[in-house]
Amino acid sequence: MNYSKRENNNRRLLRGNYGDKLYSKVWLYAIRIACVGFLAGCFALAGVLLGTFMGLMDGVPEITLDALAISGETSRIVDQDGNLITEIYTAEQRTSVAIENMPQDLIHALVAVEDKRFFEHDGIDLEGILRAGVSVIKSNSASQGGSTITQQMIKKLVLTPDQNLKRKIQEWYLALTLEDMMSKEYGKERTKELILESYLNYNYLGNSCYGVETASLRYFGKHVGELTTGECALLAGLFNAPSAFDPLVNYNGAARKRQLVVLDAMLANGYLTDEEYQAAKSEPVLVQIRAHNAAYEADDSNDVYSYFVDSTISAVQDDLVEKLGLSSNDAYNMVYHGGITIYITQDSRIQGIIDDEFSRGDLFQDETYYELSYALTIYDEKDRNITENFYTYGLFYSEEECRLAAGEYRDKHVTPDMVKGVDYVENITITEEPQYSMTIIDQHNGHIVAMAGGRGKKTANLSINRAMDSTRQPGSTFKILASYSAALDVGGFYPGATMDDSYMQWDDWIPGNWWGTSKFLGFQTMRRGIANSENIVTSKFMRAVGVETNFDYVESYGISTLRREPDEDGLTDMVGSLCLGSGSVKNYELTAAYAAIANDGVYIEPTLYTKITDTNGNVLFENVPETHRVIKETTAYLLTDMMRDNITGANEGSATACNFDYYQYTAGKTGTTSDANDYAFVGYTNYYTCAIQSGFDYVTYPEIYYESLGHSSIDPNGAYLLSYSAHKDLWRVIMGRVHEPLETISYWHDAPEGITWVSTCLDSGLYAGPYCERDQRGSRVNSDICDWNSMPQGSCNRHIELSVCKESGQIATPYCTDTEKRVFLIRFDDEIAEITAGNLYKIEDFPYCAYPWKYAGGIIASINGFDPSSICMETGSYTPTYFGECHIHTSEKKAEEESSETSEAPKTP
């Protein structure tokens, strides 16, 4: 019998109903097809999932057993010539310790608050992932929590700092892989210990401390193995956000609150009994930290970086965050422990000159004052971690007076039974005043080659750098940036253009000159206005171009500290007084602005470093500064030529004290604020641009009366305690030493195309006319350079020739017989309208003006309601000082003479 498959099927069909059998056969085939399709779908889905997984794993780094090893490479800072400036000492910032030497309370505190299922999971915490999953999916960000301690170490030591879902999945995969590999090699218990050891030794815990040993020494003054439970809780709380919970600052009690969160977590997870919990809460941990910190800061043996290094470290960290996308902690890790080399722009020869002069102090003013900064913290007697803070400051004649004042202030708040270091702590800082700051920039590349952040010994890292961080009013140095630059560049003006130095009112603002209001100089050229630092002339040039345009130029010069829009108090720097330096600026930005002029009008962003390399010399980051043109090359040339007068003394230039070498071409501008609270000078040569500022850290000190001293603290506002010349002496000596080995260049470079010479009138600023050289004061013809696109438009309209009576010296009338021709000035009616009558006669050139009686008796009287008889007329006679019509030869006098002649004539017989 045939038992083939086909024959068996035929027999089955013959035994039953054919239709039913056919129906069954169709279903059988359908089921088979469905099964095949299902399997194919499964394979396809598996392929898709595999492809997705492979895509997610694309670029994932290979992990090894030593993935958690901490390199601890020391980073270095070298100058522009490659000379080592300093090492960023890794050994002082991190000291690793074995987990066996760490207190069990510290381990429990960390696990309780950071990863409570750490000892149970295999690298990832599914419960934590599910809790954070919704947030991660919604934001497509991996920064929403759920990371285990293992994942955090993977993220810091293995992966890049990117935050996205792909990296989070890679993080999970690597965490599982690492713990699996380590468990096979060391066992699960030892694996957990090694991961914790790496975590506790690696992380940043604030105040330049990496790892728990360094942090323990910095905050408590003892090794980590000696910490109490309360101290362990505070230290463990710093891992989450060391800056926010900084125990040395303790903003709003944040450090204490975080410590309590950790202790609560330890209690909830069974790591503490109720008794242990209450005892830990009662420990005066923050009191001990502050007491130790006071002793630490008083220790001069601690390494202190220079102002330049301080600022470079901050700048590098900011750039790593902003330009490379690192987190702030990872940027800090790279700087302090990444073994990188930072190439700074410092010229060690020039920096050494500044350091030498600032440390000797020979050139500072003779009168040195002392600023007291006093902070007092009193602890609550029931909870030592609750504090009340007090602060005062003042200016005194001696350090002794500062300490006496601090003692009297302390005694107002501290009772005799209080113990220092237990019931209260105090911090006394005494600073020499006035302070000085200086920045030197190579204008050709924007490199900051040297700086001084203050006088006196630098005692702490990241302390205030007055060259980079502080803002001061720049005074008249700002006239170049906020008036004359725009006037030359787009205003159509030129060095020989004139403005009337006379009374002006601009909205509600009435500017005055530095010499007061007893006199006005009359028509002044831009060149003389710069040299003589004339406020009114500067303000009128700014007004002619517009405040907003000038503000745009200031910002283009790189000044970042001014308020364009009104702040919450309604204050803005976009006002007329901007050109006189009413806003506050940073020293290095002021230097960079002038460096742009010295660089033919091209601004280069000031830089502290050029590049960062890794341990193998590979470039990690190259610091390329932003550049743009601020002013035309011709404008820069004209400004430089005019500011040269300040140094040579031409046109009453005010900076001759800064002239270190007459043959070394130097240009610059002085600056003084109201009440002489700030002095500044910015100048440049063909090599370098340098700005120096001097002043008190506080413009106004509080009126604090101390009984035993018998007087209040000094208030320099209006007291003129600041030397007028010390900052100039410093600038001259330092820049002189800087240029000693350099070739003397006695000229600026050749004039750019577009510069030409013009002959103008000193009063009108227009082309000189036939009367300009016959002015009663002498020739008023002036020869000066000019951009040919901004040449004068027309000839002089300020001079007029009139006949003068020789007998009276007044303007001749038709009845004067003996006359001569003289040339007079003219002021137009609209110009007179702005000048009040009382100030009109203070203008030095007003006696040489034509028609003064018209102003006194007519226009002025009608505009200002002024009675001319009180100043220029008395019983109908004009004051001889001013020109009027001849009062000797009048029509009445002529009639009288003719009548007399008729009466005396002999009668005809």
Side-chain angles (χ1 to χ4, degrees):
M1 185 174 288
N2 187 353
Y3 291 101
S4 67
K5 184 176 181 180
R6 176 174 293 181
E7 287 300 320
N8 286 334
N9 288 336
N10 289 336
R11 280 192 288 274
R12 289 191 193 98
L13 290 173
L14 290 173
R15 281 197 297 266
N17 181 278
Y18 182 79
D20 292 340
K21 292 175 180 177
L22 180 62
Y23 180 78
S24 298
K25 189 172 183 180
V26 171
W27 265 108
L28 179 62
Y29 277 109
I31 291 172
R32 287 177 176 176
I33 292 171
C35 289
V36 171
F38 176 74
L39 290 174
C42 289
F43 282 117
L45 179 61
V48 171
L49 292 175
L50 179 61
T52 301
F53 178 76
M54 295 303 293
L56 290 171
M57 292 301 104
D58 181 43
V60 68
E62 183 181 354
I63 194 137
T64 62
L65 286 173
D66 45 339
L68 299 182
I70 301 172
S71 63
E73 295 273 353
T74 300
S75 294
R76 308 187 315 146
I77 293 180
V78 299
D79 67 13
Q80 59 179 237
D81 296 321
N83 302 312
L84 179 66
I85 298 298
T86 186
E87 291 183 335
I88 305 179
Y89 302 104
T90 306
E92 302 237 351
Q93 304 298 323
R94 176 191 283 123
T95 302
S96 297
V97 294
I99 195 167
E100 292 80 9
N101 296 326
M102 298 180 190
Q104 197 70 21
D105 279 340
L106 178 61
I107 296 170
H108 289 160
L110 178 70
V111 170
V113 77
E114 291 288 331
D115 185 2
K116 64 182 180 181
R117 284 176 288 277
F118 173 75
F119 293 110
E120 286 75 45
H121 63 64
D122 295 316
I124 63 173
D125 181 7
L126 292 177
E127 182 178 331
I129 292 172
L130 291 174
R131 184 180 65 250
V134 174
S135 298
V136 172
I137 293 171
K138 284 183 177 179
S139 63
N140 193 30
S141 168
S143 61
Q144 305 299 320
S147 291
T148 63
I149 289 175
T150 309
Q151 288 175 241
Q152 291 182 51
M153 291 307 295
I154 290 290
K155 178 169 57 178
K156 291 177 181 296
L157 294 173
V158 179
L159 290 173
T160 65
D162 301 329
Q163 293 187 352
N164 52 53
L165 188 57
K166 176 181 178 180
R167 204 199 74 159
K168 176 59 73 174
I169 293 174
Q170 291 180 347
E171 186 184 296
W172 294 336
Y173 168 76
L174 290 174
L176 289 169
T177 301
L178 178 63
E179 285 215 15
D180 180 62
M181 291 173 59
M182 293 182 68
S183 294
K184 289 176 180 177
E185 181 72 19
Y186 308 114
K188 181 164 180 132
E189 181 177 351
R190 183 57 180 164
T191 292
K192 294 294 185 180
E193 289 178 349
L194 291 174
I195 292 172
L196 281 174
E197 181 179 285
S198 180
Y199 189 86
L200 287 161
N201 281 315
Y202 178 81
N203 277 280
Y204 175 60
L205 297 173
N207 293 285
S208 303
C209 298
Y210 278 79
V212 292
E213 173 69 1
T214 305
S216 180
L217 291 170
R218 177 65 182 87
Y219 296 133
F220 306 108
K222 55 186 174 182
H223 295 290
V224 66
E226 302 169 343
L227 295 182
T228 65
T229 303
E231 292 166 343
C232 287
L234 186 138
L235 205 57
L238 297 179
F239 282 83
N240 178 262
S243 297
F245 304 128
D246 186 344
L248 302 185
V249 179
N250 193 26
Y251 293 111
N252 300 318
R256 170 62 171 171
K257 293 175 184 176
R258 181 63 178 171
Q259 181 205 30
L260 294 178
V261 168
V262 176
L263 289 173
D264 290 343
M266 293 177 73
L267 179 65
N269 285 276
Y271 292 128
L272 293 177
T273 65
D274 288 337
E275 292 78 14
E276 291 170 335
Y277 171 76
Q278 294 298 332
K281 280 181 64 176
S282 300
E283 292 179 33
V285 175
L286 291 173
V287 174
Q288 296 165 354
I289 286 177
R290 290 190 178 88
H292 172 68
N293 185 59
Y296 178 89
E297 291 183 344
D299 184 2
D300 289 339
S301 65
N302 297 310
D303 292 301
V304 177
Y305 297 126
S306 69
Y307 287 112
F308 205 115
V309 170
D310 265 358
S311 295
T312 300
I313 289 174
S314 297
V316 168
Q317 290 182 81
D318 290 343
D319 287 344
L320 291 176
V321 172
E322 296 172 8
K323 299 177 181 179
L324 290 188
L326 273 65
S327 68
S328 58
N329 280 355
D330 289 342
Y332 210 112
N333 284 336
M334 179 176 287
V335 170
Y336 282 93
H337 306 287
I340 62 175
T341 300
I342 303 170
Y343 291 79
I344 63 176
T345 58
Q346 176 180 295
D347 184 314
S348 293
R349 180 186 72 86
I350 299 176
Q351 185 64 59
I353 293 170
I354 289 182
D355 292 343
D356 180 44
E357 295 297 341
F358 267 70
S359 62
R360 288 194 311 171
D362 296 348
L363 300 173
F364 296 138
Q365 66 184 62
D366 294 335
E367 303 83 4
T368 296
Y369 307 95
Y370 297 88
E371 176 192 279
L372 166 69
S373 177
Y374 179 77
L376 173 68
T377 300
I378 299 177
Y379 302 103
D380 187 275
E381 59 182 14
K382 296 181 180 179
D383 186 343
R384 314 295 287 183
N385 294 288
I386 298 176
T387 63
E388 190 173 7
N389 300 306
F390 302 91
Y391 175 74
T392 189
Y393 63 100
L395 188 69
F396 298 91
Y397 290 102
S398 67
E399 292 188 62
E400 181 184 4
E401 285 189 341
C402 287
R403 299 191 186 282
L404 286 170
E408 291 189 13
Y409 184 82
R410 176 189 61 232
D411 293 344
K412 293 179 180 179
H413 303 281
V414 174
T415 58
D417 60 325
M418 287 182 167
V419 179
K420 182 178 180 179
V422 177
D423 299 303
Y424 71 92
V425 292
E426 61 182 351
N427 183 271
I428 301 176
T429 302
I430 299 175
T431 306
E432 293 180 40
E433 297 286 351
Q435 277 293 332
Y436 297 79
S437 64
M438 175 178 275
T439 308
I440 301 180
I441 290 180
D442 182 342
Q443 60 257 23
H444 305 97
N445 51 28
H447 290 176
I448 298 175
V449 296
M451 72 168 65
R455 67 184 287 196
K457 183 178 181 180
K458 187 174 183 291
T459 59
N461 289 327
L462 300 179
S463 58
I464 182 172
N465 183 343
R466 295 169 184 84
M468 298 289 292
D469 307 323
S470 298
T471 59
R472 304 197 74 89
Q473 289 185 325
S476 295
T477 63
F478 228 54
K479 293 174 179 177
I480 304 299
L481 310 181
S483 177
Y484 295 116
S485 289
L488 291 168
D489 215 47
V490 296
F493 294 103
Y494 40 92
T498 62
M499 288 290 175
D500 192 3
D501 178 42
S502 58
Y503 175 89
M504 73 173 291
Q505 181 169 347
W506 188 353
D507 296 329
D508 296 329
W509 180 53
I510 302 174
N513 286 312
W514 55 266
W515 58 79
T517 59
S518 60
K519 69 173 182 177
F520 300 97
L521 301 181
F523 297 113
Q524 301 288 297
T525 63
M526 178 186 289
R527 179 179 291 277
R528 190 162 187 267
I530 290 175
N532 200 28
S533 200
E534 297 170 6
N535 294 344
I536 294 175
V537 169
T538 304
S539 303
K540 288 185 175 180
F541 274 113
M542 181 180 183
R543 182 172 64 176
V545 179
V547 178
E548 186 169 358
T549 298
N550 280 278
F551 198 96
D552 292 341
Y553 270 83
V554 169
E555 290 188 326
S556 187
Y557 271 121
I559 304 298
S560 65
T561 54
L562 301 183
R563 301 162 295 187
R564 176 180 283 270
E565 301 298 332
D567 60 16
E568 61 274 9
D569 298 320
L571 301 177
T572 175
D573 291 307
M574 195 185 290
V575 292
S577 59
L578 171 70
C579 64
L580 305 185
S582 59
S584 294
V585 302
K586 296 180 179 180
N587 181 291
Y588 85 98
E589 289 188 346
L590 182 62
T591 312
Y594 270 72
I597 303 172
N599 192 38
D600 296 329
V602 176
Y603 172 83
I604 304 178
E605 179 186 10
T607 53
L608 289 161
Y609 71 99
T610 56
K611 63 180 178 179
I612 305 169
T613 61
D614 62 17
T615 53
N616 298 317
N618 300 313
V619 177
L620 297 174
F621 178 71
E622 191 164 2
N623 191 21
V624 180
E626 183 270 332
T627 67
H628 62 264
R629 179 166 290 282
V630 183
I631 53 178
K632 295 180 293 188
E633 186 177 0
T634 53
T635 301
Y637 187 87
L638 294 173
L639 287 172
T640 299
D641 189 76
M642 287 188 285
M643 284 192 284
R644 171 65 173 162
D645 291 352
N646 288 324
I647 302 297
T648 64
N651 292 292
E652 300 186 24
S654 57
T656 55
C658 299
N659 192 355
F660 61 87
D661 181 354
Y662 185 85
Y663 296 102
Q664 186 73 260
Y665 195 98
T666 309
K669 183 71 187 73
T670 55
T672 306
T673 63
S674 300
D675 297 322
N677 285 318
D678 296 275
Y679 286 123
F681 178 74
V682 194
Y684 52 89
T685 66
N686 285 275
Y687 297 99
Y688 298 109
T689 303
C690 176
I692 188 169
Q693 290 178 290
S694 64
F696 295 86
D697 282 337
Y698 294 94
V699 175
T700 303
Y701 288 85
E703 288 294 329
I704 305 172
Y705 187 82
Y706 296 96
E707 293 180 1
S708 65
L709 303 181
H711 58 75
S712 300
S713 60
I714 307 168
D715 183 355
N717 189 22
Y720 294 93
L721 303 180
L722 189 61
S723 168
Y724 174 74
S725 60
H727 68 294
K728 296 178 184 178
D729 294 338
L730 268 169
W731 195 96
R732 182 189 68 253
V733 171
I734 288 174
M735 287 293 277
R737 291 181 60 184
V738 166
H739 286 79
E740 276 179 4
L742 304 178
E743 179 186 357
T744 297
I745 303 178
S746 59
Y747 65 95
W748 203 240
H749 57 67
D750 293 337
E753 183 178 357
I755 295 294
T756 186
W757 284 87
V758 292
S759 180
T760 59
C761 171
L762 286 171
D763 297 299
S764 67
L766 301 176
Y767 287 116
Y771 301 132
C772 298
E773 63 182 11
R774 293 171 50 202
D775 189 287
Q776 298 176 62
R777 297 162 293 171
S779 176
R780 303 295 287 170
V781 177
N782 174 50
S783 183
D784 209 333
I785 56 176
C786 175
D787 183 333
W788 67 272
N789 288 311
S790 301
M791 295 175 72
Q793 301 298 306
S795 297
C796 176
N797 58 359
R798 290 287 180 193
H799 287 102
I800 186 174
E801 185 181 62
L802 296 173
S803 294
V804 176
C805 175
K806 288 185 178 181
E807 184 177 353
S808 67
Q810 304 296 311
I811 305 298
T813 70
Y815 308 101
C816 297
T817 56
D818 190 7
T819 63
E820 64 180 357
K821 297 289 188 181
R822 291 187 193 174
V823 173
F824 295 87
L825 282 175
I826 296 177
R827 275 186 173 81
F828 304 113
D829 292 351
D830 59 335
E831 297 170 335
I832 294 297
E834 186 178 22
I835 308 172
T836 61
N839 289 302
L840 184 64
Y841 298 95
K842 296 178 183 178
I843 305 174
E844 287 191 341
D845 63 19
F846 190 69
Y848 307 100
C849 280
Y851 314 123
W853 70 91
K854 176 182 177 184
Y855 303 140
I859 295 178
I860 289 295
S862 63
I863 293 177
N864 299 297
F866 171 65
D867 179 7
S869 64
S870 63
I871 288 186
C872 69
M873 288 189 294
E874 185 176 342
T875 64
S877 299
Y878 291 100
T879 305
T881 307
Y882 303 106
F883 292 101
E885 285 187 346
C886 176
H887 56 279
I888 297 177
H889 303 95
T890 64
S891 59
E892 292 81 7
K893 185 69 172 177
K894 179 67 173 175
E896 181 182 338
E897 290 175 352
E898 290 176 349
S899 175
S900 175
E901 291 175 358
T902 302
S903 63
E904 294 176 0
K907 296 182 179 180
T908 304

